[in-house]
Amino acid sequence: MKKLTVACTALMLAVATGASAAPFKYDLPAETAKLRPATGPGFDAAQNNCLSCHSPDYLAMQPPKLGRAFWTAEVAKMVNVFKAKIAPDDAKLIAEYLDANY
């Protein structure tokens, strides 16, 4: 009987709070982060590929001067693990850009 009382109480509480609950609406601030400025095809490739999935803040959070091998592996991970649709030529340019600027 005790389990039934607890279950009924939980059900009534869920129904009571669910009936009056309205969905929350959040107004997010405008995106202000940008890739570090550079010229050339690597910047363009990063603009066109990386920012479709994450903010440039993610790149800025990495320790500085990790090197070409690190960035090549990171871009490969985005392609192979996370299935980012990055062309092989763009992947090379992105790694070069990230190595030079982050």
Side-chain angles (χ1 to χ4, degrees):
M1 183 69 178
K2 188 175 185 180
K3 288 183 182 178
L4 181 61
T5 303
V6 171
C8 287
T9 303
L11 180 61
M12 289 185 333
L13 180 61
V15 169
T17 57
S20 64
F24 289 104
K25 182 177 180 201
Y26 296 99
D27 291 324
L28 299 174
E31 183 67 53
T32 58
K34 296 182 189 240
L35 289 174
R36 291 183 182 162
T39 57
F43 176 78
D44 295 337
Q47 261 311 85
N48 295 331
N49 290 281
C50 303
L51 302 185
S52 63
C53 293
H54 56 78
S55 167
D57 287 330
Y58 186 76
L59 297 167
M61 289 187 301
Q62 304 304 315
K65 304 297 179 197
L66 292 168
R68 176 82 48 95
F70 173 82
W71 289 115
T72 300
E74 285 299 298
V75 174
K77 179 174 66 176
M78 297 302 143
V79 172
N80 299 320
V81 176
F82 297 111
K83 306 301 180 199
K85 305 242 184 268
I86 301 173
D89 290 343
D90 278 353
K92 183 177 183 229
L93 293 171
I94 291 168
E96 290 172 2
Y97 163 77
L98 293 172
D99 177 41
N101 293 283
Y102 286 91

PDB file of all heavy atoms in Angstrom, residues 39-63:
ATOM      1  N   THR A  39      45.153  35.720 -44.226  1.00  0.00           N
ATOM      2  CA  THR A  39      44.751  35.721 -45.631  1.00  0.00           C
ATOM      3  C   THR A  39      45.132  34.379 -46.218  1.00  0.00           C
ATOM      4  O   THR A  39      46.018  33.694 -45.717  1.00  0.00           O
ATOM      5  CB  THR A  39      45.451  36.850 -46.413  1.00  0.00           C
ATOM      6  OG1 THR A  39      46.861  36.685 -46.278  1.00  0.00           O
ATOM      7  CG2 THR A  39      45.026  38.207 -45.889  1.00  0.00           C
ATOM      8  N   GLY A  40      44.453  34.032 -47.257  1.00  0.00           N
ATOM      9  CA  GLY A  40      44.823  32.811 -47.950  1.00  0.00           C
ATOM     10  C   GLY A  40      43.768  31.739 -47.876  1.00  0.00           C
ATOM     11  O   GLY A  40      42.760  31.867 -47.185  1.00  0.00           O
ATOM     12  N   PRO A  41      44.018  30.656 -48.598  1.00  0.00           N
ATOM     13  CA  PRO A  41      43.018  29.602 -48.713  1.00  0.00           C
ATOM     14  C   PRO A  41      42.779  28.848 -47.402  1.00  0.00           C
ATOM     15  O   PRO A  41      41.700  28.314 -47.185  1.00  0.00           O
ATOM     16  CB  PRO A  41      43.594  28.679 -49.788  1.00  0.00           C
ATOM     17  CG  PRO A  41      45.052  28.963 -49.820  1.00  0.00           C
ATOM     18  CD  PRO A  41      45.208  30.385 -49.396  1.00  0.00           C
ATOM     19  N   GLY A  42      43.747  28.803 -46.508  1.00  0.00           N
ATOM     20  CA  GLY A  42      43.551  28.105 -45.232  1.00  0.00           C
ATOM     21  C   GLY A  42      42.511  28.784 -44.362  1.00  0.00           C
ATOM     22  O   GLY A  42      41.663  28.124 -43.756  1.00  0.00           O
ATOM     23  N   PHE A  43      42.553  30.103 -44.317  1.00  0.00           N
ATOM     24  CA  PHE A  43      41.556  30.860 -43.560  1.00  0.00           C
ATOM     25  C   PHE A  43      40.175  30.616 -44.140  1.00  0.00           C
ATOM     26  O   PHE A  43      39.213  30.349 -43.416  1.00  0.00           O
ATOM     27  CB  PHE A  43      41.890  32.346 -43.572  1.00  0.00           C
ATOM     28  CG  PHE A  43      40.851  33.207 -42.901  1.00  0.00           C
ATOM     29  CD1 PHE A  43      40.785  33.290 -41.523  1.00  0.00           C
ATOM     30  CD2 PHE A  43      39.935  33.922 -43.651  1.00  0.00           C
ATOM     31  CE1 PHE A  43      39.821  34.076 -40.890  1.00  0.00           C
ATOM     32  CE2 PHE A  43      38.973  34.708 -43.043  1.00  0.00           C
ATOM     33  CZ  PHE A  43      38.921  34.785 -41.659  1.00  0.00           C
ATOM     34  N   ASP A  44      40.080  30.696 -45.460  1.00  0.00           N
ATOM     35  CA  ASP A  44      38.792  30.487 -46.125  1.00  0.00           C
ATOM     36  C   ASP A  44      38.265  29.070 -45.875  1.00  0.00           C
ATOM     37  O   ASP A  44      37.086  28.877 -45.615  1.00  0.00           O
ATOM     38  CB  ASP A  44      38.901  30.748 -47.621  1.00  0.00           C
ATOM     39  CG  ASP A  44      39.221  32.205 -47.929  1.00  0.00           C
ATOM     40  OD1 ASP A  44      38.930  33.079 -47.084  1.00  0.00           O
ATOM     41  OD2 ASP A  44      39.774  32.465 -49.015  1.00  0.00           O
ATOM     42  N   ALA A  45      39.151  28.078 -45.945  1.00  0.00           N
ATOM     43  CA  ALA A  45      38.740  26.688 -45.716  1.00  0.00           C
ATOM     44  C   ALA A  45      38.253  26.507 -44.277  1.00  0.00           C
ATOM     45  O   ALA A  45      37.253  25.824 -44.034  1.00  0.00           O
ATOM     46  CB  ALA A  45      39.893  25.733 -46.024  1.00  0.00           C
ATOM     47  N   ALA A  46      38.934  27.126 -43.320  1.00  0.00           N
ATOM     48  CA  ALA A  46      38.507  27.039 -41.919  1.00  0.00           C
ATOM     49  C   ALA A  46      37.164  27.746 -41.720  1.00  0.00           C
ATOM     50  O   ALA A  46      36.274  27.222 -41.039  1.00  0.00           O
ATOM     51  CB  ALA A  46      39.573  27.638 -40.997  1.00  0.00           C
ATOM     52  N   GLN A  47      37.017  28.925 -42.318  1.00  0.00           N
ATOM     53  CA  GLN A  47      35.744  29.661 -42.246  1.00  0.00           C
ATOM     54  C   GLN A  47      34.596  28.803 -42.766  1.00  0.00           C
ATOM     55  O   GLN A  47      33.532  28.750 -42.174  1.00  0.00           O
ATOM     56  CB  GLN A  47      35.808  30.885 -43.134  1.00  0.00           C
ATOM     57  CG  GLN A  47      36.084  32.253 -42.644  1.00  0.00           C
ATOM     58  CD  GLN A  47      35.376  32.834 -41.502  1.00  0.00           C
ATOM     59  OE1 GLN A  47      35.761  32.627 -40.377  1.00  0.00           O
ATOM     60  NE2 GLN A  47      34.389  33.632 -41.760  1.00  0.00           N
ATOM     61  N   ASN A  48      34.818  28.162 -43.899  1.00  0.00           N
ATOM     62  CA  ASN A  48      33.752  27.431 -44.571  1.00  0.00           C
ATOM     63  C   ASN A  48      33.466  26.063 -43.969  1.00  0.00           C
ATOM     64  O   ASN A  48      32.378  25.532 -44.164  1.00  0.00           O
ATOM     65  CB  ASN A  48      34.088  27.265 -46.055  1.00  0.00           C
ATOM     66  CG  ASN A  48      34.122  28.596 -46.775  1.00  0.00           C
ATOM     67  OD1 ASN A  48      33.442  29.538 -46.398  1.00  0.00           O
ATOM     68  ND2 ASN A  48      34.939  28.687 -47.797  1.00  0.00           N
ATOM     69  N   ASN A  49      34.418  25.479 -43.275  1.00  0.00           N
ATOM     70  CA  ASN A  49      34.242  24.125 -42.754  1.00  0.00           C
ATOM     71  C   ASN A  49      34.095  24.071 -41.235  1.00  0.00           C
ATOM     72  O   ASN A  49      33.156  23.478 -40.730  1.00  0.00           O
ATOM     73  CB  ASN A  49      35.416  23.231 -43.174  1.00  0.00           C
ATOM     74  CG  ASN A  49      35.408  22.919 -44.648  1.00  0.00           C
ATOM     75  OD1 ASN A  49      34.661  22.066 -45.085  1.00  0.00           O
ATOM     76  ND2 ASN A  49      36.225  23.621 -45.424  1.00  0.00           N
ATOM     77  N   CYS A  50      35.018  24.678 -40.519  1.00  0.00           N
ATOM     78  CA  CYS A  50      35.052  24.527 -39.061  1.00  0.00           C
ATOM     79  C   CYS A  50      33.861  25.183 -38.370  1.00  0.00           C
ATOM     80  O   CYS A  50      33.287  24.625 -37.437  1.00  0.00           O
ATOM     81  CB  CYS A  50      36.345  25.113 -38.502  1.00  0.00           C
ATOM     82  SG  CYS A  50      37.830  24.372 -39.212  1.00  0.00           S
ATOM     83  N   LEU A  51      33.485  26.356 -38.839  1.00  0.00           N
ATOM     84  CA  LEU A  51      32.455  27.128 -38.141  1.00  0.00           C
ATOM     85  C   LEU A  51      31.054  26.582 -38.345  1.00  0.00           C
ATOM     86  O   LEU A  51      30.118  27.028 -37.676  1.00  0.00           O
ATOM     87  CB  LEU A  51      32.526  28.591 -38.566  1.00  0.00           C
ATOM     88  CG  LEU A  51      33.872  29.277 -38.314  1.00  0.00           C
ATOM     89  CD1 LEU A  51      33.782  30.757 -38.652  1.00  0.00           C
ATOM     90  CD2 LEU A  51      34.351  29.068 -36.900  1.00  0.00           C
ATOM     91  N   SER A  52      30.906  25.603 -39.222  1.00  0.00           N
ATOM     92  CA  SER A  52      29.577  25.009 -39.380  1.00  0.00           C
ATOM     93  C   SER A  52      29.245  24.085 -38.208  1.00  0.00           C
ATOM     94  O   SER A  52      28.085  23.760 -37.993  1.00  0.00           O
ATOM     95  CB  SER A  52      29.485  24.248 -40.704  1.00  0.00           C
ATOM     96  OG  SER A  52      30.398  23.182 -40.724  1.00  0.00           O
ATOM     97  N   CYS A  53      30.266  23.684 -37.440  1.00  0.00           N
ATOM     98  CA  CYS A  53      30.036  22.784 -36.302  1.00  0.00           C
ATOM     99  C   CYS A  53      30.340  23.404 -34.944  1.00  0.00           C
ATOM    100  O   CYS A  53      29.725  23.033 -33.958  1.00  0.00           O
ATOM    101  CB  CYS A  53      30.878  21.519 -36.451  1.00  0.00           C
ATOM    102  SG  CYS A  53      30.373  20.490 -37.826  1.00  0.00           S
ATOM    103  N   HIS A  54      31.308  24.295 -34.874  1.00  0.00           N
ATOM    104  CA  HIS A  54      31.640  24.862 -33.565  1.00  0.00           C
ATOM    105  C   HIS A  54      32.175  26.282 -33.674  1.00  0.00           C
ATOM    106  O   HIS A  54      32.559  26.741 -34.741  1.00  0.00           O
ATOM    107  CB  HIS A  54      32.608  23.972 -32.783  1.00  0.00           C
ATOM    108  CG  HIS A  54      33.890  23.656 -33.487  1.00  0.00           C
ATOM    109  ND1 HIS A  54      34.932  24.534 -33.573  1.00  0.00           N
ATOM    110  CD2 HIS A  54      34.284  22.538 -34.137  1.00  0.00           C
ATOM    111  CE1 HIS A  54      35.920  23.971 -34.230  1.00  0.00           C
ATOM    112  NE2 HIS A  54      35.556  22.766 -34.600  1.00  0.00           N
ATOM    113  N   SER A  55      32.186  26.911 -32.527  1.00  0.00           N
ATOM    114  CA  SER A  55      32.625  28.298 -32.423  1.00  0.00           C
ATOM    115  C   SER A  55      34.147  28.398 -32.513  1.00  0.00           C
ATOM    116  O   SER A  55      34.858  27.481 -32.092  1.00  0.00           O
ATOM    117  CB  SER A  55      32.158  28.851 -31.072  1.00  0.00           C
ATOM    118  OG  SER A  55      32.788  30.066 -30.781  1.00  0.00           O
ATOM    119  N   PRO A  56      34.651  29.519 -32.986  1.00  0.00           N
ATOM    120  CA  PRO A  56      36.099  29.731 -32.965  1.00  0.00           C
ATOM    121  C   PRO A  56      36.655  29.752 -31.539  1.00  0.00           C
ATOM    122  O   PRO A  56      37.845  29.549 -31.344  1.00  0.00           O
ATOM    123  CB  PRO A  56      36.290  31.093 -33.627  1.00  0.00           C
ATOM    124  CG  PRO A  56      35.043  31.381 -34.345  1.00  0.00           C
ATOM    125  CD  PRO A  56      33.964  30.595 -33.673  1.00  0.00           C
ATOM    126  N   ASP A  57      35.792  29.988 -30.564  1.00  0.00           N
ATOM    127  CA  ASP A  57      36.252  29.946 -29.169  1.00  0.00           C
ATOM    128  C   ASP A  57      36.865  28.591 -28.832  1.00  0.00           C
ATOM    129  O   ASP A  57      37.776  28.500 -28.024  1.00  0.00           O
ATOM    130  CB  ASP A  57      35.086  30.219 -28.209  1.00  0.00           C
ATOM    131  CG  ASP A  57      34.658  31.673 -28.223  1.00  0.00           C
ATOM    132  OD1 ASP A  57      35.512  32.550 -28.464  1.00  0.00           O
ATOM    133  OD2 ASP A  57      33.470  31.932 -27.993  1.00  0.00           O
ATOM    134  N   TYR A  58      36.354  27.536 -29.455  1.00  0.00           N
ATOM    135  CA  TYR A  58      36.888  26.204 -29.212  1.00  0.00           C
ATOM    136  C   TYR A  58      38.360  26.133 -29.612  1.00  0.00           C
ATOM    137  O   TYR A  58      39.170  25.528 -28.923  1.00  0.00           O
ATOM    138  CB  TYR A  58      36.064  25.171 -29.979  1.00  0.00           C
ATOM    139  CG  TYR A  58      36.451  23.759 -29.678  1.00  0.00           C
ATOM    140  CD1 TYR A  58      36.075  23.146 -28.491  1.00  0.00           C
ATOM    141  CD2 TYR A  58      37.221  23.035 -30.572  1.00  0.00           C
ATOM    142  CE1 TYR A  58      36.441  21.852 -28.208  1.00  0.00           C
ATOM    143  CE2 TYR A  58      37.593  21.732 -30.295  1.00  0.00           C
ATOM    144  CZ  TYR A  58      37.203  21.145 -29.113  1.00  0.00           C
ATOM    145  OH  TYR A  58      37.571  19.869 -28.828  1.00  0.00           O
ATOM    146  N   LEU A  59      38.711  26.758 -30.712  1.00  0.00           N
ATOM    147  CA  LEU A  59      40.102  26.772 -31.151  1.00  0.00           C
ATOM    148  C   LEU A  59      40.965  27.603 -30.214  1.00  0.00           C
ATOM    149  O   LEU A  59      42.084  27.221 -29.879  1.00  0.00           O
ATOM    150  CB  LEU A  59      40.209  27.333 -32.570  1.00  0.00           C
ATOM    151  CG  LEU A  59      39.502  26.524 -33.654  1.00  0.00           C
ATOM    152  CD1 LEU A  59      39.415  27.336 -34.937  1.00  0.00           C
ATOM    153  CD2 LEU A  59      40.210  25.216 -33.878  1.00  0.00           C
ATOM    154  N   ALA A  60      40.429  28.720 -29.782  1.00  0.00           N
ATOM    155  CA  ALA A  60      41.188  29.620 -28.912  1.00  0.00           C
ATOM    156  C   ALA A  60      41.438  29.006 -27.535  1.00  0.00           C
ATOM    157  O   ALA A  60      42.362  29.427 -26.830  1.00  0.00           O
ATOM    158  CB  ALA A  60      40.450  30.950 -28.771  1.00  0.00           C
ATOM    159  N   MET A  61      40.650  28.016 -27.147  1.00  0.00           N
ATOM    160  CA  MET A  61      40.832  27.374 -25.839  1.00  0.00           C
ATOM    161  C   MET A  61      42.003  26.392 -25.834  1.00  0.00           C
ATOM    162  O   MET A  61      42.436  25.952 -24.775  1.00  0.00           O
ATOM    163  CB  MET A  61      39.563  26.614 -25.429  1.00  0.00           C
ATOM    164  CG  MET A  61      38.415  27.510 -25.061  1.00  0.00           C
ATOM    165  SD  MET A  61      37.002  26.611 -24.387  1.00  0.00           S
ATOM    166  CE  MET A  61      36.572  25.492 -25.690  1.00  0.00           C
ATOM    167  N   GLN A  62      42.512  26.033 -27.001  1.00  0.00           N
ATOM    168  CA  GLN A  62      43.621  25.079 -27.069  1.00  0.00           C
ATOM    169  C   GLN A  62      44.923  25.772 -26.652  1.00  0.00           C
ATOM    170  O   GLN A  62      45.099  26.961 -26.875  1.00  0.00           O
ATOM    171  CB  GLN A  62      43.755  24.533 -28.494  1.00  0.00           C
ATOM    172  CG  GLN A  62      42.507  23.897 -29.042  1.00  0.00           C
ATOM    173  CD  GLN A  62      41.974  22.782 -28.169  1.00  0.00           C
ATOM    174  OE1 GLN A  62      42.718  21.933 -27.707  1.00  0.00           O
ATOM    175  NE2 GLN A  62      40.675  22.788 -27.938  1.00  0.00           N
ATOM    176  N   PRO A  63      45.835  25.025 -26.060  1.00  0.00           N
ATOM    177  CA  PRO A  63      47.135  25.627 -25.728  1.00  0.00           C
ATOM    178  C   PRO A  63      47.814  26.136 -26.997  1.00  0.00           C
ATOM    179  O   PRO A  63      47.638  25.555 -28.074  1.00  0.00           O
ATOM    180  CB  PRO A  63      47.924  24.457 -25.122  1.00  0.00           C
ATOM    181  CG  PRO A  63      46.892  23.477 -24.692  1.00  0.00           C
ATOM    182  CD  PRO A  63      45.732  23.637 -25.629  1.00  0.00           C
TER     183      PRO A  63
END
